[in-house]
Amino acid sequence: MHDAERRERVERFVDRREDVAGGGDGQAAAGGHGADTALGYIANDKGPFRVVNPAQHTTRVHHFLVCSALMIVLSMLTSALAMVAAVGVIGIDASHLPLLWIFGTCATAAMGITALALLAVLGTPGPLVSMLVLIGLAIPSAGATIPLQALPDFYRFLAVFEPFRQVVDGVRSILYFGARTDAGLGRAWIMVGLGFVVSLASGLALTRLYDRRGLHRSTPYLPQPAAVG
């Protein structure tokens, strides 16, 4: 295989890995929606059929922990599917596949839990904020297609901490540079770990604060209007 063709395939995989990592935002929405339907907070629509389970009380902390655990499991699955697509469909000639799967799982889980924390803390505006932070601002500053040197100063500043840039550096190090930590993988692991810990800790702290103040997620009882006459 020519070097140019191999590089093109690897760049396609890097772009695909961004899509999978960015899918953590969608997985967060799916995981939160699934938990809410199971708890009876929202209806479960399947085609023309609608099922509404009896509402069950649960604390915000417990709900956030369940969604986070579900996010980790979904991250393992989506990372594995990305590996199958990369090797079996695109034909990536890549080594260190187990490490690549682990890194993809951790990156997706970190971004997904960040989205879940924003959803738990902000409520309905949470997905909009997470789309802006984790997708709208992260993709242009990733440096996967356009080098950072060709981007405006604003996006170069965002690349310091935006997640997609860390994913790109980590994947490139694994694919191109023998998974060396000094080629970007070390910093990528640090940033992914920080994102995971900060998001999980922030989500737990703020949901616990909501619970202690009595701001539960259970639907409040609304008095029915009295009959007239």
Side-chain angles (χ1 to χ4, degrees), residues 29-55:
H33 185 275
D36 284 343
T37 55
L39 293 172
Y41 293 140
I42 58 177
N44 184 14
D45 292 316
K46 294 181 179 178
F49 304 102
R50 164 167 287 203
V51 178
V52 181
N53 296 324

Side-chain angles (χ1 to χ4, degrees), residues 61-167:
V61 171
H62 184 260
H63 182 267
F64 178 69
L65 287 175
V66 170
C67 291
S68 298
L70 181 60
M71 170 58 59
I72 294 174
V73 175
L74 290 175
S75 299
M76 295 179 182
L77 178 61
T78 54
S79 185
L81 291 176
M83 300 301 300
V84 171
V87 177
V89 179
I90 301 178
I92 291 294
D93 182 17
S95 56
H96 306 289
L97 290 180
L99 178 60
L100 191 59
W101 175 76
I102 293 173
F103 179 77
T105 298
C106 294
T108 306
M111 296 176 67
I113 291 178
T114 301
L116 285 173
L118 290 172
L119 177 63
V121 173
L122 301 178
T124 302
L128 299 177
V129 176
S130 65
M131 287 180 63
L132 175 64
V133 175
L134 300 178
I135 298 178
L137 296 177
I139 291 180
S141 61
T145 304
I146 302 176
L148 291 180
Q149 293 78 5
L151 295 175
D153 293 338
F154 174 69
Y155 288 111
R156 288 203 297 270
F157 168 73
L158 292 178
V160 176
F161 55 87
E162 280 286 2
F164 277 171
R165 178 60 185 172
Q166 325 311 322
V167 173

